[in-house]
Every structure is written in C-alpha cells, then in structure tokens.
C-alpha cells in the first residue's frame, strides 16, 4: 500500500536491452485494475495497459518515480510492459534484469520507509511488546518459578499457561527481529516471520487445550458428582474425544491458513475459507464454554467460588471472541488498516486474558477455596499427585 509521495526506485542491469525493447512500468491503483479485470467490456491487452494511472519509460540505469496526490494510502499494482508483451507470437529474447524498491515517506516525509501503509507501526508495536515481556519477566519470573517448583494444586495449569505465554513471547520476539530486518532492506527475515507464526499456532493450541479441558472437567464432574469424590478430569472416551477433535480441528485450520496466506502475520485478512472457518470455530467455542460455565455459576452457592468461575468465563470469552469481534469491527476501516488493527488488538486482548488467568490461579484465597481444581489433571501433563483434602 502506497502513501502520498511514495517512490518507486528501479535499477536496470542491462540498459541497452531495455531501451531496445521499449521497456516501461505501468502503475495501476488496485481498484482501477480490478475494475478492468471484471469489466464486461472486453479490453484488448494494449487497451488495458493504456489505462494505467502512471507510466514510466525505463531508459536510465537508475531512475525514480514519485507517486503523489493520493488522498489516502492504497494498494498499487506495478506491471512490466515492453513492445513484445501484447504480441501473441512472442519470440524469446534476452531477459532484462532489474531491481525495484518501493518506499513510503517516513515520519519526516522522506521516502525511506520500506513498510507498506498496512504494516507501518507494527515494528514499533512488537518492540514495545518485547520490552513489556522483558520487564514483566524481570519482575515476576522468579516468584512464578518458585510457585511452579512447589508443585502445588495449580501446578499442571500453571505449567501449561506458562509454556503458552513463553511461546507468545517467542512469537513477539521473532516478529520484532523480522520487522527490524525488513526496515533495513525491505526483505526481512522470512524464517523469523514463519517461526513467529508457528510459535503462535502452538500457543493457540496449548491455550485451547487448557481452557477446554478445565471447563469440561468441571462440567462433567458436576454431572457425575458424588458427595465423597472430588471433581476430576473425566477421562471417558466421550470427553477426551471431544477435546482431541476440537484441538485437532483448530490445528488443521491454523496450518491451512498459513498455506493459504503467505504473508508473515499471525492474523490474516480473512479472505480465505480457512480464516472464516477458524473465526466460526472460535465463536462456537466461546458460546459453548460460556454455556457450560453459566450452568455451573447458576447452581453454585459459594460467592467466592462463583466469582472464580465468572472471572474464568471472562478470560475464556476474551481469548476466543477477541479475534472474531476485531475482524468484524475492522470492516469499517480502510483495507490497509484492517490487518494491523486485528494483529495488534488480538495480541493485546490475549495478553489481558492470560494476565486474568494468572491472577486467578495464583491467588491463594481463590484457588484454595475452589478446591476441586487441585485434582483436575490435564491429559497431556504429568499429574502432580497432590491431593487436596477439601471437596465440594
């Protein structure tokens, strides 16, 4: 996406061939090109290219074209055209090697910024996010590590939550490295971009697994509640099957989305089928978990336990619904702003959700009261073996 006073810089390796071929660059605004493509009127090849908003004849080793008088940033298509492009009986000739750099104006108005309008601000955002993770780690890491080492009633939950948080932090750091490199050369570190996305995928799977297994453990435990037995994760084929199917479905959709959109962003523009199905799955999960927790809350007599479940429900709903809600809200913004809003918004909302869960599970006054949590064992974690004497 180009802004006002953006610059297209072209460097040609073999100028003589370019001049002989009458090489040109034709620039179209995305909307205008799409209109031409979908037009009922059948335009010839030459007519199509003649309707370009800007044309640059390639006749110097290095030359610049300034795109000006744009009221707001928008996507541009750049086409290479020469005298052979529209010929049907095209005979192979020597290729023209060229390098093209697209630059947007920076904060001072100089065309030096490699980021498109849709990516501007993400570099700074990930820097601040990594800084926030680092400061938080310096303050809380030691006490959290000591709590986990004690292998208390919340050991399994805190371990899974911490792994998910570390993956989120790893994703943010890899994104920061990718954007730092991109700001210098306009290419970035694609490996780091991919690593950030895979860290985010594993983190999403961990959190889905944690929230779903806890909620199902409580719901099934309530349905089968016997007075002398603590609430436990029900490892019947039905409950385990549901958890596994949902986790596998989300994993499949997340991986499918990666192959559908090759841009290195964890949250995409939702044009593809995988993105739509993923949003649908998150809405269904939020509604089903909310319904399950509502049933528990309505019959719970203890105010303290009820507050615990209400807070847990808020964290669940925020985690699952932030993505669909932001994707819906983003529709009112211009196209170049949407992905940025979704990416920043989802990351911040999920960080808040994790903070709520940490506060909930680390709070002694609450988790000792909601005693059944101590015996909820997650299927893929090592049970602490800790027995809590207080039962519902």
């Amino acid at each position: 996406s180009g802004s006002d006073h953006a610059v297209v810089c072209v460097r040609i390796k073999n100028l003589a061939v370019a001049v002989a071929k009458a090489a040109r660059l034709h620039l179209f605004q995305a909307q205008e090109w799409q209109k031409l493509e979908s037009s009922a009127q059948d335009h010839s090849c030459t007519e199509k290219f003649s309707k370009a908003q800007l044309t640059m004849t390639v006749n110097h080793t290095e030359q610049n074209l300034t795109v000006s008088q744009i009221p707001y940033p928008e996507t541009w298509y750049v086409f290479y055209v020469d005298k052979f492009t529209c010929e049907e009986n095209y005979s192979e000739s020597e290729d023209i090697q060229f390098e093209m750099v697209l630059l947007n104006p920076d904060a001072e108005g100089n065309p030096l910024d490699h980021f498109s309008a849709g990516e501007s601000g993400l570099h700074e955002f990930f820097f601040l996010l990594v800084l926030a993770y680092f400061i938080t780690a310096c303050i809380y890491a030691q006490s959290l590590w000591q709590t986990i080492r004690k292998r208390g009633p919340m050991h399994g939950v805190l371990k899974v939550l911490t792994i998910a948080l570390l993956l989120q932090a790893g994703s943010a750091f890899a994104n920061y490295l990718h954007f730092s490199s991109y700001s210098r050369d306009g290419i970035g570190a694609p490996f780091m971009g991919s690593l950030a996305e895979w860290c985010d995928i594993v983190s999403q799977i961990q959190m889905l697994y944690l929230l779903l297994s806890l909620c199902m453990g409580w719901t099934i435990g309530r349905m089968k509640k016997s007075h002398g037995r603590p609430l436990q994760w029900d490892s019947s084929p039905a409950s385990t099957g549901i958890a596994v199917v949902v986790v596998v479905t989300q994993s499949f959709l997340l991986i499918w989305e990666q192959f559908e959109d090759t841009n290195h962003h964890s949250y995409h523009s939702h044009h593809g089928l995988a993105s739509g199905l993923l949003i649908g799955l998150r809405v269904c999960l939020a509604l089903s978990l909310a319904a399950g927790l509502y049933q528990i809350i309505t019959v719970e007599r203890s105010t303290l336990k009820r507050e615990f479940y209400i807070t847990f429900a808020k964290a669940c709903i925020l985690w699952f619904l932030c993505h669909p809600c932001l994707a819906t809200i983003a529709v009112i913004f211009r196209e170049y702003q949407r992905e940025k809003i979704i990416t920043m918004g989802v990351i911040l909302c999920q960080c808040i959700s994790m903070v709520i869960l940490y506060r909930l599970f680390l709070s002694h006054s609450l988790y000792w009261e909601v005693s059944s949590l101590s015996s909820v064992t997650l299927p893929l974690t090592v049970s602490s073996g800790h027995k809590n004497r207080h039962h519902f």
Side-chain angles (χ1 to χ4, degrees), residues 17 21 77 168 240 250 267 323 327 347 366:
V17 179
K21 282 184 161 189
Y77 292 147
Q168 289 273 21
T240 308
Q250 192 192 37
Y267 301 94
H323 190 192
I347 289 170
L366 286 173

Side-chain angles (χ1 to χ4, degrees), residues 72-285:
Y72 57 85
E74 58 185 331
T75 306
W76 285 76
Y77 292 147
V78 184
F79 294 93
Y80 166 84
V81 181
D82 61 31
K83 63 184 182 183
F84 300 111
T85 304
C86 292
E87 281 188 17
E88 286 181 20
N89 303 320
Y90 173 63
S91 56
E92 285 293 324
S93 60
E94 193 180 344
D95 288 334
I96 297 171
Q97 292 182 314
F98 66 91
E99 181 187 340
M100 185 161 49
V101 180
L102 308 171
L103 296 165
N104 271 326
D106 60 14
E108 293 168 6
N110 301 316
L112 300 168
D113 189 359
H114 286 283
F115 292 106
S116 70
E119 295 167 327
S120 63
L122 285 175
H123 183 209
E124 293 80 0
F125 170 75
F126 282 113
F127 169 73
L128 293 173
L129 189 63
V130 169
L131 186 64
Y133 274 125
F134 177 73
I135 292 167
T136 307
C138 290
I139 299 168
Y140 296 109
Q142 192 176 359
S143 59
L144 179 64
W145 174 242
Q146 286 170 350
T147 306
I148 292 171
R149 277 185 68 188
K150 283 178 189 171
R151 302 180 72 82
M154 291 293 96
H155 176 257
V157 174
L158 286 174
K159 200 161 76 171
V160 177
L161 193 58
T162 304
I163 291 167
L165 183 66
L166 287 172
L167 286 163
Q168 289 273 21
S171 175
F173 185 61
N175 263 322
Y176 170 67
L177 292 176
H178 169 58
F179 283 117
S180 292
S181 176
Y182 191 92
S183 67
R184 290 190 296 272
D185 60 14
I187 299 166
F191 170 75
M192 281 296 166
S194 299
L195 181 65
E197 292 200 339
W198 287 107
C199 283
D200 185 70
I201 285 174
V202 179
S203 173
Q204 296 288 333
I205 292 164
Q206 284 263 46
M207 285 299 292
L208 168 63
Y209 181 70
L210 173 70
L211 300 177
L212 192 63
S213 55
L214 280 172
C215 192
M216 283 186 67
W218 294 333
T219 309
I220 291 166
R222 284 217 166 252
M223 287 192 283
K224 295 186 172 182
K225 185 179 173 185
S226 58
H227 292 291
R229 180 171 166 262
L231 188 61
Q232 291 178 356
W233 166 263
D234 191 308
S235 57
S236 69
S239 64
T240 308
I242 292 167
V244 169
V245 165
V246 175
V247 168
V248 168
T249 305
Q250 192 192 37
S251 309
F252 171 73
L253 289 174
L254 285 165
I255 293 165
W256 180 12
E257 189 186 36
Q258 297 307 308
F259 289 106
E260 205 171 52
D261 188 342
T262 53
N263 287 327
H264 296 296
H265 294 300
S266 302
Y267 301 94
H268 303 280
S269 302
H270 318 294
H271 298 307
L273 178 61
S275 299
L277 290 171
L278 205 49
I279 285 175
L281 178 68
R282 284 175 176 145
V283 171
C284 292
L285 281 167

